[in-house]
Amino acid sequence: GESVGLHLPTLSVQEGDNSIINCAYSNSASDYFIWYKQESGKGPQFIIDIRSNMDKRQGQRVTVLLNKTVKHLSLQIAATQPGDSAVYFCAENIGNYQLIWGAGTKLIIKP
Amino acid sequence: DSGVTQTPKHLITATGQRVTLRCSPRSGDLSVYWYQQSLDQGLQFLIQYYNGEERAKGNILERFSAQQFPDLHSELNLSSLELGDSALYFCASSPRALNSPLHFGNGTRLTVT
């Protein structure tokens, strides 16, 4: 069935390095994508979104890249900090009022 | 602070019981969503309301029901509880029904014993 999946369940990154979290989606009709961050014991927190008419969008220390040709979404975090430790979820909107969520990638920051 | 308020934060109850979880959306948001998250799992979409009307249904059990009231707050009712219903239940809200970020509350942790 249609799904959004993540390549790596856990990602360890040295503090100060850049992090790249990847996400594959299967529905070429998806027109809206979102990245969320979930810290332990808290609800998911919106990070950044991108519409299908864009390839790249930047926020504060974060960049989302969308490659529609290979149906791939990535989240880049610049100069990773300890506070970035969390589980990151991608989600896609396939146009039926529902978001399809990925399984999540746990980002671990090494000191 | 997302602006979405969920009560209670924790709930412990026995199998067979019924509970009600409450959600107040962000001011101005018309759409409310309910999600279930089991331990170390992803988010499972349960149901969505927009301006008082049910808009989308996910993997919601027949033992579960929800509604959105005229003041836009929402309640999720879970009945005939089973051990497997133990999970975090999140409410989220957004301004529109489609293509806008969801803002999540901090959830209600339900433990069924």
Side-chain angles (χ1 to χ4, degrees):
Chain A
E2 296 156 346
S3 65
V4 175
L6 294 166
H7 296 306
L8 298 172
T10 302
L11 178 66
S12 292
V13 176
Q14 200 74 36
E15 182 179 348
D17 287 352
N18 296 337
S19 301
I20 300 176
I21 301 171
N22 296 304
C23 182
Y25 65 95
S26 58
N27 194 321
S28 56
S30 294
D31 59 0
Y32 179 63
F33 305 86
I34 317 179
W35 280 101
Y36 284 90
K37 169 187 179 183
Q38 187 176 22
E39 297 174 272
S40 182
K42 295 185 178 180
Q45 178 187 358
F46 169 76
I47 301 174
I48 193 167
D49 58 0
I50 188 167
R51 300 192 188 281
S52 58
N53 60 353
M54 302 173 70
D55 297 322
K56 179 180 180 179
R57 191 163 187 223
Q58 289 184 292
Q60 187 176 13
R61 278 201 311 118
V62 295
T63 300
V64 56
L65 298 177
L66 176 62
N67 185 330
K68 294 180 284 294
T69 302
V70 295
K71 289 184 281 191
H72 184 267
L73 189 69
S74 69
L75 177 70
Q76 300 179 3
I77 305 173
T80 311
Q81 303 168 358
D84 295 327
S85 292
V87 176
Y88 289 80
F89 293 96
C90 62
E92 65 175 315
N93 187 321
I94 59 174
N96 63 349
Y97 303 101
Q98 289 190 42
L99 286 176
I100 306 299
W101 291 78
T105 292
K106 186 172 184 178
L107 180 62
I108 297 171
I109 313 303
K110 296 181 287 186
Chain B
D1 183 10
S2 68
V4 177
T5 303
Q6 288 187 249
T7 56
K9 290 184 180 179
H10 301 277
L11 200 49
I12 302 174
T13 189
T15 54
Q17 295 298 306
R18 172 190 169 95
V19 297
T20 297
L21 312 184
R22 194 178 192 278
C23 171
S24 294
R26 289 193 320 164
S27 177
D29 284 358
L30 299 178
S31 206
V32 169
Y33 306 74
W34 286 98
Y35 283 86
Q36 180 192 58
Q37 186 176 42
S38 300
L39 187 64
D40 294 332
Q41 297 292 312
L43 291 156
Q44 295 296 319
F45 171 69
L46 296 178
I47 198 164
Q48 179 200 359
Y49 283 85
Y50 179 76
N51 204 20
E53 294 186 1
E54 182 183 305
R55 188 57 64 96
K57 225 171 189 178
N59 299 320
I60 187 166
L61 300 172
E62 286 191 10
R63 300 184 286 110
F64 297 179
S65 64
Q67 60 184 125
Q68 186 179 27
F69 295 88
D71 67 352
L72 301 177
H73 92 271
S74 179
E75 293 182 354
L76 178 67
N77 300 297
L78 313 176
S79 62
S80 303
L81 285 167
E82 302 174 359
L83 295 177
D85 297 328
S86 296
L88 269 168
Y89 290 85
F90 288 106
C91 170
S93 73
S94 68
R96 303 183 298 275
L98 277 176
N99 291 352
S100 58
L102 276 61
H103 296 270
F104 284 80
N106 281 328
T108 293
R109 181 173 293 281
L110 173 66
T111 302
V112 182
T113 62

mmCIF file of all heavy atoms in Angstrom, chain B residues 44-67:
data_model
loop_
_atom_site.group_PDB
_atom_site.id
_atom_site.type_symbol
_atom_site.label_atom_id
_atom_site.label_comp_id
_atom_site.label_asym_id
_atom_site.label_seq_id
_atom_site.Cartn_x
_atom_site.Cartn_y
_atom_site.Cartn_z
ATOM 1 N N GLN B 44 -0.346 6.663 14.772
ATOM 2 C CA GLN B 44 -1.476 6.052 14.068
ATOM 3 C C GLN B 44 -2.644 7.027 14.080
ATOM 4 O O GLN B 44 -3.157 7.379 15.138
ATOM 5 C CB GLN B 44 -1.877 4.750 14.747
ATOM 6 C CG GLN B 44 -0.810 3.664 14.681
ATOM 7 C CD GLN B 44 -0.503 3.214 13.287
ATOM 8 O OE1 GLN B 44 -1.409 3.059 12.460
ATOM 9 N NE2 GLN B 44 0.764 3.018 12.984
ATOM 10 N N PHE B 45 -3.053 7.429 12.905
ATOM 11 C CA PHE B 45 -4.164 8.364 12.766
ATOM 12 C C PHE B 45 -5.474 7.697 13.141
ATOM 13 O O PHE B 45 -5.772 6.592 12.679
ATOM 14 C CB PHE B 45 -4.219 8.873 11.325
ATOM 15 C CG PHE B 45 -5.443 9.670 10.988
ATOM 16 C CD1 PHE B 45 -5.650 10.925 11.543
ATOM 17 C CD2 PHE B 45 -6.387 9.174 10.112
ATOM 18 C CE1 PHE B 45 -6.776 11.665 11.225
ATOM 19 C CE2 PHE B 45 -7.513 9.903 9.780
ATOM 20 C CZ PHE B 45 -7.712 11.152 10.340
ATOM 21 N N LEU B 46 -6.238 8.362 13.969
ATOM 22 C CA LEU B 46 -7.529 7.814 14.383
ATOM 23 C C LEU B 46 -8.684 8.495 13.657
ATOM 24 O O LEU B 46 -9.478 7.852 12.987
ATOM 25 C CB LEU B 46 -7.703 7.969 15.899
ATOM 26 C CG LEU B 46 -6.719 7.188 16.766
ATOM 27 C CD1 LEU B 46 -6.972 7.479 18.246
ATOM 28 C CD2 LEU B 46 -6.800 5.699 16.497
ATOM 29 N N ILE B 47 -8.768 9.820 13.818
ATOM 30 C CA ILE B 47 -9.933 10.518 13.264
ATOM 31 C C ILE B 47 -9.653 12.016 13.184
ATOM 32 O O ILE B 47 -8.818 12.529 13.920
ATOM 33 C CB ILE B 47 -11.183 10.228 14.125
ATOM 34 C CG1 ILE B 47 -12.473 10.549 13.379
ATOM 35 C CG2 ILE B 47 -11.103 10.928 15.476
ATOM 36 C CD1 ILE B 47 -13.714 9.923 14.009
ATOM 37 N N GLN B 48 -10.334 12.682 12.259
ATOM 38 C CA GLN B 48 -10.212 14.118 12.092
ATOM 39 C C GLN B 48 -11.586 14.771 12.050
ATOM 40 O O GLN B 48 -12.516 14.240 11.429
ATOM 41 C CB GLN B 48 -9.473 14.462 10.795
ATOM 42 C CG GLN B 48 -9.336 15.969 10.562
ATOM 43 C CD GLN B 48 -9.066 16.345 9.105
ATOM 44 O OE1 GLN B 48 -8.962 15.475 8.252
ATOM 45 N NE2 GLN B 48 -8.951 17.619 8.839
ATOM 46 N N TYR B 49 -11.680 15.927 12.688
ATOM 47 C CA TYR B 49 -12.883 16.750 12.618
ATOM 48 C C TYR B 49 -12.518 18.113 12.070
ATOM 49 O O TYR B 49 -11.418 18.620 12.304
ATOM 50 C CB TYR B 49 -13.526 16.911 14.004
ATOM 51 C CG TYR B 49 -14.273 15.684 14.424
ATOM 52 C CD1 TYR B 49 -13.612 14.626 15.036
ATOM 53 C CD2 TYR B 49 -15.634 15.557 14.186
ATOM 54 C CE1 TYR B 49 -14.293 13.481 15.400
ATOM 55 C CE2 TYR B 49 -16.330 14.416 14.544
ATOM 56 C CZ TYR B 49 -15.645 13.371 15.146
ATOM 57 O OH TYR B 49 -16.311 12.245 15.509
ATOM 58 N N TYR B 50 -13.451 18.677 11.316
ATOM 59 C CA TYR B 50 -13.265 20.036 10.811
ATOM 60 C C TYR B 50 -14.542 20.811 11.090
ATOM 61 O O TYR B 50 -15.601 20.464 10.561
ATOM 62 C CB TYR B 50 -12.939 20.031 9.315
ATOM 63 C CG TYR B 50 -12.764 21.407 8.732
ATOM 64 C CD1 TYR B 50 -11.605 22.127 8.968
ATOM 65 C CD2 TYR B 50 -13.772 22.000 7.980
ATOM 66 C CE1 TYR B 50 -11.430 23.398 8.455
ATOM 67 C CE2 TYR B 50 -13.614 23.264 7.464
ATOM 68 C CZ TYR B 50 -12.444 23.969 7.693
ATOM 69 O OH TYR B 50 -12.276 25.228 7.185
ATOM 70 N N ASN B 51 -14.410 21.826 11.908
ATOM 71 C CA ASN B 51 -15.522 22.713 12.238
ATOM 72 C C ASN B 51 -16.769 21.922 12.681
ATOM 73 O O ASN B 51 -17.892 22.228 12.263
ATOM 74 C CB ASN B 51 -15.855 23.592 11.046
ATOM 75 C CG ASN B 51 -16.553 24.880 11.452
ATOM 76 O OD1 ASN B 51 -16.470 25.296 12.611
ATOM 77 N ND2 ASN B 51 -17.241 25.498 10.527
ATOM 78 N N GLY B 52 -16.541 20.916 13.473
ATOM 79 C CA GLY B 52 -17.638 20.155 14.058
ATOM 80 C C GLY B 52 -18.048 18.907 13.296
ATOM 81 O O GLY B 52 -18.823 18.096 13.821
ATOM 82 N N GLU B 53 -17.538 18.748 12.108
ATOM 83 C CA GLU B 53 -17.942 17.589 11.309
ATOM 84 C C GLU B 53 -16.782 16.613 11.131
ATOM 85 O O GLU B 53 -15.636 17.029 10.937
ATOM 86 C CB GLU B 53 -18.430 18.037 9.930
ATOM 87 C CG GLU B 53 -19.703 18.857 9.983
ATOM 88 C CD GLU B 53 -20.236 19.157 8.589
ATOM 89 O OE1 GLU B 53 -19.616 18.703 7.609
ATOM 90 O OE2 GLU B 53 -21.261 19.853 8.497
ATOM 91 N N GLU B 54 -17.105 15.341 11.146
ATOM 92 C CA GLU B 54 -16.080 14.334 10.896
ATOM 93 C C GLU B 54 -15.604 14.456 9.457
ATOM 94 O O GLU B 54 -16.398 14.497 8.521
ATOM 95 C CB GLU B 54 -16.656 12.936 11.144
ATOM 96 C CG GLU B 54 -15.645 11.819 10.952
ATOM 97 C CD GLU B 54 -16.272 10.452 11.124
ATOM 98 O OE1 GLU B 54 -16.880 10.192 12.178
ATOM 99 O OE2 GLU B 54 -16.160 9.631 10.175
ATOM 100 N N ARG B 55 -14.281 14.514 9.276
ATOM 101 C CA ARG B 55 -13.728 14.730 7.932
ATOM 102 C C ARG B 55 -12.980 13.504 7.409
ATOM 103 O O ARG B 55 -12.988 13.236 6.228
ATOM 104 C CB ARG B 55 -12.816 15.948 7.952
ATOM 105 C CG ARG B 55 -12.339 16.390 6.588
ATOM 106 C CD ARG B 55 -13.488 16.688 5.634
ATOM 107 N NE ARG B 55 -14.316 17.788 6.047
ATOM 108 C CZ ARG B 55 -14.179 19.039 5.610
ATOM 109 N NH1 ARG B 55 -13.222 19.336 4.770
ATOM 110 N NH2 ARG B 55 -15.003 19.981 6.021
ATOM 111 N N ALA B 56 -12.310 12.797 8.299
ATOM 112 C CA ALA B 56 -11.560 11.620 7.866
ATOM 113 C C ALA B 56 -11.450 10.645 9.021
ATOM 114 O O ALA B 56 -11.415 11.035 10.185
ATOM 115 C CB ALA B 56 -10.177 12.013 7.375
ATOM 116 N N LYS B 57 -11.431 9.378 8.656
ATOM 117 C CA LYS B 57 -11.328 8.326 9.654
ATOM 118 C C LYS B 57 -10.149 7.439 9.326
ATOM 119 O O LYS B 57 -9.966 7.052 8.169
ATOM 120 C CB LYS B 57 -12.616 7.499 9.669
ATOM 121 C CG LYS B 57 -13.171 7.174 11.017
ATOM 122 C CD LYS B 57 -14.560 6.555 10.879
ATOM 123 C CE LYS B 57 -15.211 6.433 12.233
ATOM 124 N NZ LYS B 57 -16.571 5.895 12.150
ATOM 125 N N GLY B 58 -9.379 7.116 10.327
ATOM 126 C CA GLY B 58 -8.254 6.223 10.131
ATOM 127 C C GLY B 58 -8.517 4.884 10.775
ATOM 128 O O GLY B 58 -9.613 4.343 10.694
ATOM 129 N N ASN B 59 -7.510 4.380 11.460
ATOM 130 C CA ASN B 59 -7.627 3.064 12.082
ATOM 131 C C ASN B 59 -8.258 3.151 13.465
ATOM 132 O O ASN B 59 -7.676 2.727 14.456
ATOM 133 C CB ASN B 59 -6.240 2.426 12.196
ATOM 134 C CG ASN B 59 -5.611 2.230 10.835
ATOM 135 O OD1 ASN B 59 -6.273 1.851 9.882
ATOM 136 N ND2 ASN B 59 -4.320 2.502 10.734
ATOM 137 N N ILE B 60 -9.437 3.681 13.518
ATOM 138 C CA ILE B 60 -10.103 3.845 14.804
ATOM 139 C C ILE B 60 -11.023 2.661 15.073
ATOM 140 O O ILE B 60 -11.816 2.260 14.217
ATOM 141 C CB ILE B 60 -10.873 5.181 14.874
ATOM 142 C CG1 ILE B 60 -11.415 5.427 16.279
ATOM 143 C CG2 ILE B 60 -11.959 5.261 13.802
ATOM 144 C CD1 ILE B 60 -11.887 6.846 16.520
ATOM 145 N N LEU B 61 -10.873 2.070 16.249
ATOM 146 C CA LEU B 61 -11.669 0.916 16.622
ATOM 147 C C LEU B 61 -13.123 1.328 16.865
ATOM 148 O O LEU B 61 -13.406 2.475 17.204
ATOM 149 C CB LEU B 61 -11.103 0.281 17.898
ATOM 150 C CG LEU B 61 -9.666 -0.222 17.813
ATOM 151 C CD1 LEU B 61 -9.163 -0.643 19.191
ATOM 152 C CD2 LEU B 61 -9.556 -1.384 16.834
ATOM 153 N N GLU B 62 -14.017 0.381 16.725
ATOM 154 C CA GLU B 62 -15.438 0.681 16.972
ATOM 155 C C GLU B 62 -15.687 1.016 18.431
ATOM 156 O O GLU B 62 -16.655 1.709 18.763
ATOM 157 C CB GLU B 62 -16.297 -0.512 16.563
ATOM 158 C CG GLU B 62 -16.429 -0.667 15.051
ATOM 159 C CD GLU B 62 -17.489 -1.668 14.663
ATOM 160 O OE1 GLU B 62 -18.255 -2.121 15.533
ATOM 161 O OE2 GLU B 62 -17.553 -2.019 13.466
ATOM 162 N N ARG B 63 -14.814 0.567 19.318
ATOM 163 C CA ARG B 63 -14.930 0.887 20.752
ATOM 164 C C ARG B 63 -14.554 2.336 21.041
ATOM 165 O O ARG B 63 -14.774 2.826 22.144
ATOM 166 C CB ARG B 63 -14.003 -0.032 21.561
ATOM 167 C CG ARG B 63 -14.293 -1.500 21.433
ATOM 168 C CD ARG B 63 -13.393 -2.309 22.343
ATOM 169 N NE ARG B 63 -12.022 -2.406 21.871
ATOM 170 C CZ ARG B 63 -10.986 -1.815 22.449
ATOM 171 N NH1 ARG B 63 -11.161 -1.050 23.513
ATOM 172 N NH2 ARG B 63 -9.765 -1.987 21.979
ATOM 173 N N PHE B 64 -13.973 3.001 20.058
ATOM 174 C CA PHE B 64 -13.543 4.377 20.228
ATOM 175 C C PHE B 64 -14.485 5.297 19.456
ATOM 176 O O PHE B 64 -14.954 4.957 18.367
ATOM 177 C CB PHE B 64 -12.124 4.593 19.705
ATOM 178 C CG PHE B 64 -11.050 3.819 20.421
ATOM 179 C CD1 PHE B 64 -9.725 3.932 20.008
ATOM 180 C CD2 PHE B 64 -11.322 2.990 21.500
ATOM 181 C CE1 PHE B 64 -8.708 3.235 20.650
ATOM 182 C CE2 PHE B 64 -10.327 2.300 22.157
ATOM 183 C CZ PHE B 64 -9.010 2.419 21.718
ATOM 184 N N SER B 65 -14.733 6.456 19.999
ATOM 185 C CA SER B 65 -15.535 7.448 19.292
ATOM 186 C C SER B 65 -15.029 8.830 19.661
ATOM 187 O O SER B 65 -14.339 9.008 20.662
ATOM 188 C CB SER B 65 -17.021 7.317 19.643
ATOM 189 O OG SER B 65 -17.226 7.604 21.018
ATOM 190 N N ALA B 66 -15.379 9.789 18.845
ATOM 191 C CA ALA B 66 -14.940 11.159 19.110
ATOM 192 C C ALA B 66 -15.994 12.131 18.637
ATOM 193 O O ALA B 66 -16.914 11.767 17.892
ATOM 194 C CB ALA B 66 -13.609 11.435 18.409
ATOM 195 N N GLN B 67 -15.852 13.364 19.093
ATOM 196 C CA GLN B 67 -16.704 14.422 18.582
ATOM 197 C C GLN B 67 -16.024 15.757 18.777
ATOM 198 O O GLN B 67 -15.129 15.896 19.627
ATOM 199 C CB GLN B 67 -18.085 14.397 19.247
ATOM 200 C CG GLN B 67 -18.077 14.563 20.740
ATOM 201 C CD GLN B 67 -19.475 14.423 21.329
ATOM 202 O OE1 GLN B 67 -19.737 13.625 22.207
ATOM 203 N NE2 GLN B 67 -20.399 15.232 20.843
#
